[in-house]
Structures are given as C-alpha cells and as structure tokens.
Amino acid sequence: MTTRELQALARQHDTPLVVIDHEILRRNFAEFRRHLPKVQCYYAVKANPDPAILRTFYAAGASFDVASVAEFMLVHDLIKDLPAKAQQDYIWDKIIYANPTKPKETLQALDQYKPLVTFDNLAELQKIKRFAPHAGVVLRLRVANTGSQCELSSKFGCDPGEAVELVLAAGKLGLVVEGLSFHVGSQCTNFENYVQALNIAAAVMKESRERGHPIKILDIGGGFPAPYNKHVRPFRELARKINAEIDRLFPADIQILAEPGRFLVATAATSVARIIGKAVRDGKPCYYIDDSVYHTFSGIIFDHCQYPLKAFKKGKTEICAVFGQTCDGLDVLSQSEELPDLEIEDLVYAENIGAYSNASATWFNGFPPAKVVHVNVKE
Ligand SMILES: *Cc1c(COP(=O)(O)O)cnc(C)c1O
C-alpha cells in the first residue's frame, strides 16, 4: 500500500485507524506453505482474531489454533456450513485447542466437539478425563526459548524428562496422547531453539513408541519471526533447518502441524494516527497522538515490541518523544523517535502492527479501540 493510499483511507475513515491488507495475509500464508510444504498451518487466532482475517486464511486452506471457548466458536462458525459428518471428521484437521490449562467449564463446553486439546501435567489430564472424555490430547513439552522476544517456557510445557511418564499415565486413564507440541517463544530469531526442540520431541516420541505408545502428530508451535527489521534472518533459512531436522528425526508417516501467529499477520497491518498535541519538554519535541499503548500500540507493553513511527511529511528529522492520548504516565509510545517537525492534525503511521496489537486493545480512559479497515479482500 502506498503512503498516498494510506492518507486517503485516513481521510475517509478518520483516525485512529488500522488498515489490514489481505493481499499480504495471503502472501504470508503462501510463503509459510511454500517453505514448509509438509507442515499443516494452524493460524494462532490470539495474534489477531478479526473474523475477516480468519475468513481469508480459511479460504487459503488454513487450520486454526485457539485458546478459549470464544476463539473456538469463531473458528467453528467458519466450518458450520459443512455437513455434520464432515464437521466431525474435520475438527482435528481444522482446530487445535492449544491452551494447556483449561477450566472445567471450558472442557465441558468443548467435549461435544471431540476436540484436540493440549495438556502439560497430570492434574490437567485428570480434569480432561473427567470433563472432556471425548477429547484427543497433545502433550506440550517445555523447550528452550533462548533469545525469543516473548518467552513462554516458564509457564508452559512439561519437563521433557517427565514426558514419557505422562504419556503412560494418559494411557492408564484411557486417553490417547495423539501428539507432542512445543513453542520456542514468540518472535524466535534464535533458530537453534527449533533444532533443540525437534530433537527433544523426537527422543520422547521414540521412547513412547518403544513403550507401546506410538504418537502420530508433531506440533511445532509458533514463534516464526516476522521481518520487523533487517536483522531478522529470512523465513526460508529457518524453514530449511526445520525441514532438514524433520527429515532426519521423524518417520515419514508422521503428521506435522505448526501454529504461526505473528508471522502470518504482523506485516499485514498499518496504523495511522493523528497529532493531537505538541509540546517541548527539556528541549525535546513531544507529540501526542490519538492512539495509545492501551489501544493499537498495546504490543509495546504486552508484546515487548516497538513500532517505529513515520511521518507522511518530508523534512529534516529530530529526536522526539511520542505519547498516547490517555491521561496515564505509562502511556509512552517512544522516548526517542525520529520525526520531522509536525503540526497538530498531521498524520503519522506505523507498519508491521498486525500481531498482538489491536487484539489486546482496551477501552481504557473512555477511548475506543481504533477503527479497522480491510483492503484487498477477495469475496
Ligand atoms: C501464542 C501462541 C502461538 C502463536 O505464537 P507466535 O509466536 O505468534 O507464532 C502458537 N501456539 C500457542 C500455543 C500459543 O500460545
């Protein structure tokens, strides 16, 4: 999308605005499939649950990773027009419920769909047995998240040394461990995390098979890094490593799936905001915009992400601060942004803001989340 098109959309729809380009969604999905042809792609809905995004990925052939009943129903709505039999056969193919800890009400609500759900400890397994006995289970392993932007390994995954015991325990309860899963941490630019995790999963799978519990599914999780800057090595390099390890470590008939979130949506969205105030503090220009870290820029807080702001206006740039619209001191987008001299009513934009951004926007301070506009949607 050109800067002229962005400005036109901002004039038409007003700010704050988030523009989602479905051509980029389709391109990202195609890139994922092209480089990992043996891997079924389950889009992680929590990265951006906008139903229009889900429809575009569904049309492209995606499956989905969900982590709440609400997300499950969003995806279930996409497949509800299929015949009942196909819906049932289809469900593992289209949805994995990948939140390892589930309240009993969630399990009760999901059981009728015979879902595929993850777990990482014995108490969860017993809960699944009691409240969702028709579920298939996938064991989440704890793996290294070294260097990832968001680390998950202190909260999720069983110790690999306990994994086989859990597989056997499931068998005793009459549940079958259908698969193993892991997550190397979000925005994982350290590709060795994937190599190590695949080796751990292969060892667990081998021992389980030897002890009479063959495992059919390998879920390599999310973490695939979005190209936020030139330091992120290309996806095809990571894919080459993953493909080589998969070929080396696993039997050919294993079913492999992945749960990319960020990689598929981050680059598809651009936010446009308006300067609503300016000041000079300690000699530094300060701008206030009509969005905030409680809204589209929530990823600054929750996702440890930065989104460089750009001006449409040309001119010599200066180091400045950019603040959000709310009356909270935490609401700082940046203390050192490089922007030209801007006036009130000028527009600024931030690219690559499709993942963990407006998905976690709030209504804090009475300001509604930004309007979302979709472009290049195929009907
Ligand atoms: C959040 C999450 C994902 C998506 O992670 P990305 O880093 O955005 O690819 C995948 N799987 C699980 C279980 C998650 O919690």
Side-chain angles (χ1 to χ4, degrees):
M1 191 167 342
T2 65
T3 53
R4 182 177 300 209
E5 287 167 323
L6 268 181
Q7 282 172 287
L9 285 169
R11 269 195 298 276
Q12 185 188 343
H13 297 281
D14 222 338
T15 58
L17 187 67
V18 173
V19 182
I20 299 186
D21 187 340
H22 286 240
E23 183 55 40
I24 299 179
L25 295 175
R26 289 189 293 270
R27 212 187 296 152
N28 289 346
F29 183 78
E31 186 182 1
F32 194 90
R33 295 285 301 127
R34 183 166 66 251
H35 292 297
L36 292 175
K38 291 180 200 155
V39 178
Q40 195 174 343
C41 180
Y42 286 64
Y43 168 58
V45 172
K46 81 173 188 293
N48 195 324
D50 190 308
I53 294 177
L54 303 188
R55 285 195 295 273
T56 287
F57 285 143
Y58 181 71
S63 305
F64 299 89
D65 154 12
V66 302
S68 64
V69 172
E71 286 185 359
F72 184 94
M73 294 320 297
L74 273 179
V75 176
H76 198 262
D77 272 356
L78 298 170
I79 63 172
K80 71 176 186 307
D81 293 334
L82 297 170
K85 173 81 172 67
Q87 274 183 46
Q88 190 51 63
D89 292 349
Y90 221 41
I91 203 123
W92 287 12
D93 233 17
K94 280 290 159 189
I95 309 182
I96 181 165
Y97 190 100
N99 189 338
T101 299
K102 298 156 284 298
K104 69 176 191 304
E105 292 79 8
T106 295
L107 291 169
Q108 284 166 327
L110 294 180
D111 191 48
Q112 60 182 303
Y113 302 106
K114 302 186 177 141
L116 189 60
V117 306
T118 63
F119 76 102
D120 63 10
N121 64 69
L122 187 60
E124 188 70 18
L125 204 51
Q126 288 162 340
K127 206 164 23 136
I128 292 168
K129 171 69 185 169
R130 177 142 173 236
F131 297 109
H134 298 97
V137 294
V138 169
L139 176 57
R140 170 94 170 248
L141 305 170
R142 187 171 76 214
V143 298
N145 282 201
T146 312
S148 297
Q149 181 172 306
C150 304
E151 95 99 36
L152 302 162
S153 59
S154 59
K155 181 169 172 184
F156 302 109
C158 77
D159 191 293
E162 296 166 0
V164 175
E165 287 309 315
L166 280 169
V167 172
L168 301 180
K172 282 208 192 87
L173 284 171
L175 293 167
V176 178
V177 176
E178 307 282 349
L180 297 177
S181 76
F182 58 75
H183 197 305
V184 293
S186 200
Q187 186 69 6
C188 172
T189 48
N190 173 12
F191 298 168
E192 279 311 300
N193 285 342
Y194 282 98
V195 173
Q196 272 186 33
L198 288 166
N199 278 273
I200 289 170
V204 172
M205 212 172 258
K206 179 163 176 287
E207 193 182 338
S208 294
R209 193 183 327 113
E210 286 164 4
R211 298 182 67 176
H213 291 267
I215 294 174
K216 297 183 292 221
I217 300 171
L218 171 69
D219 174 356
I220 64 174
F224 309 94
Y228 289 122
N229 58 56
K230 63 180 189 315
H231 304 295
V232 179
R233 280 179 290 154
F235 178 67
R236 68 175 136 61
E237 252 182 59
L238 171 58
R240 209 179 298 134
K241 266 192 195 244
I242 291 174
N243 288 329
E245 287 303 291
I246 286 175
D247 288 346
R248 192 170 71 79
L249 294 167
F250 296 94
D253 62 351
I254 198 159
Q255 193 189 333
I256 302 166
L257 52 103
E259 304 165 345
R262 181 191 305 281
F263 179 82
L264 296 181
V265 289
T267 54
T270 305
S271 97
V272 188
R274 191 161 48 100
I275 307 288
I276 55 168
K278 64 185 284 192
V280 178
R281 296 185 189 284
D282 298 326
K284 182 159 82 173
C286 299
Y287 298 106
Y288 298 78
I289 66 166
D290 63 349
D291 208 324
S292 90
V293 304
Y294 288 94
H295 298 85
T296 311
F297 292 84
S298 58
I300 292 174
I301 307 290
F302 293 125
D303 192 36
H304 315 290
C305 203
Q306 274 298 331
Y307 312 94
L309 282 166
K310 295 183 180 170
F312 294 102
K313 204 184 227 177
K314 297 273 174 291
K316 188 169 134 326
T317 62
E318 259 186 300
I319 298 288
C320 59
V322 180
F323 299 130
Q325 66 200 339
T326 73
C327 206
D328 182 0
L330 176 82
D331 187 9
V332 178
L333 278 81
S334 173
Q335 287 285 11
S336 63
E337 210 57 35
E338 276 200 51
L339 289 169
D341 185 34
L342 296 173
E343 301 302 330
I344 289 170
E345 297 299 316
D346 281 347
L347 299 177
V348 289
Y349 66 102
E351 297 169 301
N352 302 329
I353 196 162
Y356 308 111
S357 52
N358 56 328
S360 44
T362 71
W363 278 76
F364 177 62
N365 221 178
F367 296 103
K371 182 174 181 186
V372 177
V373 177
H374 298 272
V375 299
N376 296 324
V377 180
K378 258 194 216 154
E379 285 314 327

Coordinates of all heavy atoms in Angstrom, one line a residue, residues 44 46-47 65 98-99 140 152 183 185-187 221-224 259-263 356, ligand 1:
A44 N -2.6 -19.1 14.7 CA -2.9 -18.9 16.1 C -3.8 -17.6 16.2 O -3.3 -16.5 16.1 CB -1.6 -18.7 16.9
K46 N -5.1 -16.0 18.6 CA -4.9 -14.9 19.5 C -4.0 -13.7 19.0 O -4.1 -12.6 19.5 CB -4.3 -15.4 20.9 CG -2.8 -15.6 20.9 CD -2.4 -16.0 22.3 CE -0.9 -16.1 22.6 NZ -0.3 -17.2 21.9
A47 N -3.2 -14.0 18.0 CA -2.4 -12.9 17.4 C -3.3 -11.8 16.8 O -2.9 -10.6 16.9 CB -1.5 -13.4 16.3
D65 N -5.4 -22.5 15.5 CA -5.0 -22.8 16.9 C -5.8 -21.8 17.8 O -5.7 -20.6 17.6 CB -3.5 -22.6 17.1 CG -3.1 -22.2 18.5 OD1 -3.9 -22.3 19.4 OD2 -1.9 -21.8 18.6
A98 N -5.1 -25.1 22.0 CA -3.7 -25.3 22.4 C -3.4 -24.5 23.7 O -2.2 -24.1 23.9 CB -2.7 -24.8 21.3
N99 N -4.4 -24.3 24.5 CA -4.1 -23.7 25.8 C -4.0 -24.8 26.8 O -5.0 -25.5 27.1 CB -5.3 -22.7 26.2 CG -5.0 -21.9 27.5 OD1 -4.1 -22.3 28.3 ND2 -5.6 -20.8 27.6
R140 N 2.2 -31.0 25.7 CA 3.1 -29.8 25.4 C 4.4 -30.0 26.2 O 4.4 -30.2 27.4 CB 2.4 -28.6 25.9 CG 3.2 -27.3 25.9 CD 3.2 -26.5 24.7 NE 3.8 -25.2 24.9 CZ 3.1 -24.0 24.9 NH1 1.8 -24.0 24.8 NH2 3.8 -22.9 25.1
L152 N 7.9 -18.2 26.9 CA 6.7 -19.0 27.3 C 7.1 -20.2 28.2 O 6.3 -20.8 28.8 CB 6.0 -19.5 26.1 CG 5.5 -18.4 25.1 CD1 5.1 -19.0 23.8 CD2 4.3 -17.7 25.7
H183 N 6.6 -24.8 22.0 CA 6.6 -23.5 21.5 C 7.9 -22.9 21.9 O 8.3 -22.8 23.1 CB 5.4 -22.6 22.1 CG 5.2 -21.4 21.3 ND1 6.2 -20.4 21.1 CD2 4.1 -20.9 20.7 CE1 5.7 -19.4 20.3 NE2 4.4 -19.7 20.1
G185 N 9.0 -19.9 21.9 CA 8.9 -18.5 22.3 C 8.6 -17.6 21.1 O 8.9 -17.9 19.9
S186 N 7.9 -16.5 21.3 CA 7.4 -15.7 20.2 C 8.4 -14.8 19.6 O 9.3 -14.2 20.4 CB 6.1 -14.9 20.6 OG 5.4 -14.6 19.5
Q187 N 8.4 -14.6 18.3 CA 9.5 -13.9 17.6 C 10.8 -14.5 17.9 O 11.7 -13.9 18.5 CB 9.4 -12.4 17.9 CG 10.4 -11.5 17.1 CD 10.0 -11.4 15.6 OE1 9.0 -11.9 15.2 NE2 10.9 -10.8 14.8
G221 N 4.4 -25.7 16.9 CA 4.1 -24.5 17.6 C 4.2 -23.2 16.7 O 4.2 -23.3 15.5
G222 N 4.4 -22.1 17.4 CA 4.5 -20.8 16.7 C 6.0 -20.3 16.9 O 6.9 -21.1 17.0
G223 N 6.1 -19.0 16.9 CA 7.4 -18.4 17.1 C 8.1 -17.9 15.9 O 9.1 -17.2 16.0
F224 N 7.6 -18.3 14.7 CA 8.3 -17.9 13.4 C 8.3 -16.4 13.4 O 7.3 -15.7 13.5 CB 7.5 -18.5 12.3 CG 7.2 -20.0 12.4 CD1 6.0 -20.4 13.0 CD2 8.2 -20.9 12.1 CE1 5.8 -21.8 13.2 CE2 7.9 -22.2 12.3 CZ 6.8 -22.7 12.9
E259 N 1.7 -23.7 14.4 CA 0.8 -22.7 14.9 C 1.3 -21.3 14.8 O 1.4 -20.6 15.8 CB 0.4 -23.0 16.4 CG 0.0 -24.4 16.7 CD 0.0 -24.7 18.2 OE1 0.7 -24.0 18.9 OE2 -0.6 -25.7 18.6
P260 N 1.6 -20.8 13.6 CA 2.1 -19.5 13.4 C 1.1 -18.4 13.7 O -0.1 -18.6 13.3 CB 2.6 -19.4 12.0 CG 1.7 -20.4 11.3 CD 1.4 -21.5 12.3
G261 N 1.4 -17.4 14.5 CA 0.5 -16.3 14.7 C 1.1 -15.1 14.1 O 0.8 -14.6 13.0
R262 N 2.1 -14.5 14.8 CA 2.8 -13.3 14.4 C 3.2 -13.3 12.9 O 3.0 -12.4 12.2 CB 4.0 -13.1 15.3 CG 4.8 -11.9 15.0 CD 6.1 -12.0 15.8 NE 6.0 -12.2 17.2 CZ 5.6 -11.3 18.1 NH1 5.5 -10.0 17.7 NH2 5.5 -11.6 19.4
F263 N 3.9 -14.4 12.5 CA 4.4 -14.4 11.1 C 3.4 -14.2 10.0 O 3.7 -13.5 9.0 CB 5.1 -15.8 10.9 CG 5.7 -15.9 9.5 CD1 6.9 -15.4 9.2 CD2 5.0 -16.5 8.5 CE1 7.5 -15.5 7.9 CE2 5.5 -16.6 7.2 CZ 6.8 -16.1 6.9
Y356 N -0.7 -9.0 17.9 CA -0.7 -8.7 19.3 C -0.8 -7.2 19.5 O -0.1 -6.6 20.3 CB 0.5 -9.3 20.0 CG 0.7 -10.7 19.8 CD1 1.7 -11.3 19.0 CD2 -0.3 -11.6 20.3 CE1 1.8 -12.6 18.8 CE2 -0.2 -13.0 20.1 CZ 0.9 -13.5 19.3 OH 0.9 -14.8 19.1
Ligands
LIG1 C1 0.6 -17.6 21.0 C2 0.7 -19.0 20.6 C3 1.1 -19.3 19.3 C4 1.5 -18.2 18.3 O1 2.8 -17.8 18.5 P1 3.5 -16.8 17.5 O2 4.8 -16.5 18.2 O3 2.7 -15.6 17.3 O4 3.7 -17.5 16.2 C5 1.1 -20.6 18.9 N1 0.8 -21.6 19.8 C6 0.5 -21.3 21.1 C7 0.2 -22.5 22.0 C8 0.4 -20.0 21.5 O5 0.1 -19.8 22.8

